[in-house]
Amino acid sequence: MSGAAGDHGDGGRDDLLRYLDRECAIALATQGRLAVLLIELRRVDRLQALLKGPPPT
Amino acid sequence: MTLSLVLERLRPALRPEDRVAAISDEQICLVLPRIAHPTQAVLAAVKCLRALDRPIAHEGGTAVLRPCVGIATVPEHPADPAQLLMAVDVARRIAGSREEGYHVYQSEDNVEAEVYHGLDIDLERAIRANELTVHYQPQIELSSGRPVAAEALLRWRHPTAGPIPPSTMVGIAERTGLIASLTFWVLNTVLRNAAQLRKEGIIPNLSVNLSTRALVDAELPDLVDQALRTWSVPPGQITLEITESSMIGDAERSMAMLTRLKGTGVGLSIDDFGTGYSSLAYLKRFPLDELKIDRLFVAGLLTDRGDHQIVRSVIDLSHNFELRAVAEGVEEPATLEELKRMGCDLAQGFLMARPMGEREFRAWWLDKGGTHA
């Protein structure tokens, strides 16, 4: 889990779960709100390789 | 490409209190505490997508990303951390097939994810291993009663999950970036079949469905052209079917894509016409050849006055724009007779034939006196 936005920590799933556990508890206790965003970085060049498709038979 | 370059891009889109965790080389989790409203999370997602919109230069070259973002909020969604991560992962999968590139988790989203979990990887394997098949459903010319065309329909029988619905298959392909590969596989297969049938003098017009996501691929017209040349099939023998919804997202881009596709010589058809929100102006501007009347209206043709009027209107509209009208889902002889009386050009449905494999289709076509050289 990294620090503030822009830090580049490796972040592990366990660290993330611990952090979320704490923040969820705070959000519920304070009637606040928390958002989680999961970004998938799909690279187009992988798709380009697949574009070749199966060879004509 | 390193994640640090991606995070550098994202930094301006985030607040100092937001937290970042790298889940893998291709996934980043953002935690946004103390937001006022769920729409604030959507705004953050949009900002992130915009930040990653431009290619990222790195030591190994330039990476072009097509990111997608899953969103979940507490207290609207599970406050248990593991469940929350599962929810946002489900939303992320769905976001991959959405034009806007993000999706906010809904409780009903879980169903599809549980049923089809794991199929993403299998589809890639199935495409590579040629495990998919194409079936053909004939279309009858109503004036002569003879088969003249057929719609190509993709089929996938999974080794353990059984038959996978085409909509699910396309959804998986769209969210995993496989749609271009899948589209090319279908085109390649249909054209190979067309070339084989031509050698035997069987010349049906063959329709291929294109998904919305396939239509935004700038390379699609080149792929179509390449496949036509590979199999030496006259482009006029092929029709590409698109849905109304895929046209109206960005009219100018759609117009440019359809014009390029039309430039390859293939025909263009609007599938499920009447279920979307097409502007009549599009019919005038877009280089179309055919409108397919949605099966829902055809099913109610004889029993619902409104459906009858819609079918009547679409047939007239088609002819006024010099397009063919094709009725889908014809299951009753009386419906077929009524469509013929109304001047509909072509019809397809279980009444005439169910979709069938290429070999069965060939025999059926010859038996019914279909278009023959």
Side-chain angles (χ1 to χ4, degrees):
Chain A
M1 190 71 203
S2 77
D7 290 354
H8 305 157
D10 286 332
R13 185 182 165 83
D14 289 342
D15 287 345
L16 177 61
L17 284 171
R18 272 196 294 275
Y19 179 76
L20 274 177
D21 194 26
R22 187 167 64 94
E23 287 301 320
C24 284
I26 291 171
L28 291 177
T30 60
Q31 294 187 315
R33 183 172 275 110
L34 167 83
V36 180
L37 276 61
L38 185 61
I39 304 178
E40 182 168 61
L41 307 166
R42 297 178 301 173
R43 291 183 61 150
V44 174
D45 51 0
R46 175 171 169 270
L47 185 146
Q48 297 300 336
L50 286 165
L51 269 175
K52 292 173 186 170
T57 54
Chain B
M1 184 184 65
T2 60
L3 277 173
S4 60
L5 293 171
V6 172
L7 294 173
E8 205 171 286
R9 281 281 182 86
L10 293 178
R11 188 187 297 154
L14 302 173
R15 307 168 303 172
E17 64 266 38
D18 296 337
R19 294 293 188 270
V20 181
I23 303 286
S24 69
D25 284 347
E26 292 193 334
Q27 286 189 356
I28 295 170
C29 188
L30 307 179
V31 183
L32 282 51
R34 294 181 293 285
I35 61 166
H37 193 271
T39 52
Q40 204 175 332
V42 173
L43 279 174
V46 171
K47 282 184 183 176
C48 290
L49 288 168
R50 283 188 186 157
L52 299 174
D53 203 28
R54 288 171 288 114
I56 296 177
H58 58 98
E59 286 176 7
T62 303
V64 179
L65 301 177
R66 194 177 287 165
C68 57
V69 186
I71 304 166
T73 55
V74 174
E76 288 79 11
H77 305 127
D80 174 78
Q83 281 189 33
L84 192 57
L85 284 184
M86 280 173 64
V88 80
D89 191 46
V90 168
R92 187 265 310 163
R93 284 164 178 265
I94 294 169
S97 63
R98 295 287 161 90
E99 187 73 25
E100 59 269 34
Y102 64 83
H103 180 74
V104 181
Y105 174 77
Q106 311 290 326
S107 55
E108 62 267 30
D109 288 342
N110 256 339
V111 177
E112 191 188 4
E114 282 173 13
V115 172
Y116 297 115
H117 181 71
L119 291 184
D120 293 14
I121 299 166
D122 287 355
L123 179 58
E124 184 171 347
R125 179 189 52 75
I127 294 172
R128 288 184 178 282
N130 258 345
E131 282 182 6
L132 308 176
T133 55
V134 172
H135 283 205
Y136 295 93
Q137 185 169 36
Q139 295 173 347
I140 307 298
E141 184 179 61
L142 289 175
S143 61
S144 67
R146 295 178 63 197
V148 294
E151 180 180 0
L153 299 160
L154 185 59
R155 295 285 184 266
W156 180 22
R157 181 174 283 279
H158 188 271
T160 53
I164 307 298
S167 58
T168 301
M169 203 185 326
V170 171
I172 292 169
E174 287 190 335
R175 69 171 172 253
T176 55
L178 287 170
I179 193 66
S181 185
L182 189 63
T183 302
F184 187 67
W185 186 91
V186 174
L187 270 172
N188 204 38
T189 304
V190 170
L191 288 165
R192 186 179 69 223
N193 289 164
Q196 287 162 348
L197 292 168
R198 282 185 73 82
K199 283 182 188 168
E200 299 167 38
I202 300 171
I203 311 175
N205 184 290
L206 296 176
S207 300
V208 176
N209 291 281
L210 292 181
S211 82
T212 303
R213 185 57 70 93
L215 270 181
V216 300
D217 184 345
E219 295 188 40
L220 179 65
D222 295 333
L223 287 177
V224 171
D225 193 50
Q226 180 193 332
L228 287 165
R229 289 173 193 277
T230 300
W231 296 105
S232 302
V233 172
Q237 201 186 327
I238 301 298
T239 297
L240 301 179
E241 293 189 15
I242 58 173
T243 60
E244 280 183 284
S245 57
S246 63
M247 294 198 316
I248 58 178
D250 182 339
E252 290 310 314
R253 191 173 63 184
S254 299
M255 180 69 183
M257 173 55 82
L258 294 184
T259 302
R260 285 183 63 205
L261 286 171
K262 186 71 180 172
T264 66
V266 300
L268 296 176
S269 170
I270 300 190
D271 201 7
D272 304 335
F273 189 78
T275 58
Y277 301 93
S278 287
S279 159
L280 292 183
Y282 293 163
L283 294 181
K284 181 184 164 192
R285 289 181 62 204
F286 289 2
L288 303 169
D289 298 275
E290 180 183 282
L291 296 184
K292 293 189 83 173
I293 308 165
D294 190 78
R295 63 183 63 245
L296 285 175
F297 304 125
V298 175
L301 182 64
L302 300 177
T303 54
D304 186 298
R305 192 161 169 242
D307 286 346
H308 192 280
Q309 286 170 335
I310 288 172
V311 173
R312 165 88 274 160
S313 302
V314 176
I315 292 171
D316 289 346
L317 194 62
S318 302
H319 293 162
N320 289 339
F321 282 95
E322 299 180 339
L323 309 175
R324 282 189 306 272
V326 182
E328 292 184 286
V330 179
E331 297 183 4
E332 303 292 337
T335 304
L336 188 67
E337 280 308 309
E338 180 64 4
L339 286 164
K340 190 174 175 183
R341 197 190 63 76
M342 294 167 90
C344 187
D345 300 293
L346 305 179
Q348 76 181 77
F350 286 180
L351 177 66
M352 285 75 77
R354 290 174 178 271
M356 53 191 108
E358 187 226 348
R359 199 171 293 177
E360 192 185 349
F361 172 71
R362 177 192 283 115
W364 184 94
W365 191 269
L366 291 172
D367 182 52
K368 299 294 179 185
T371 320
H372 203 271

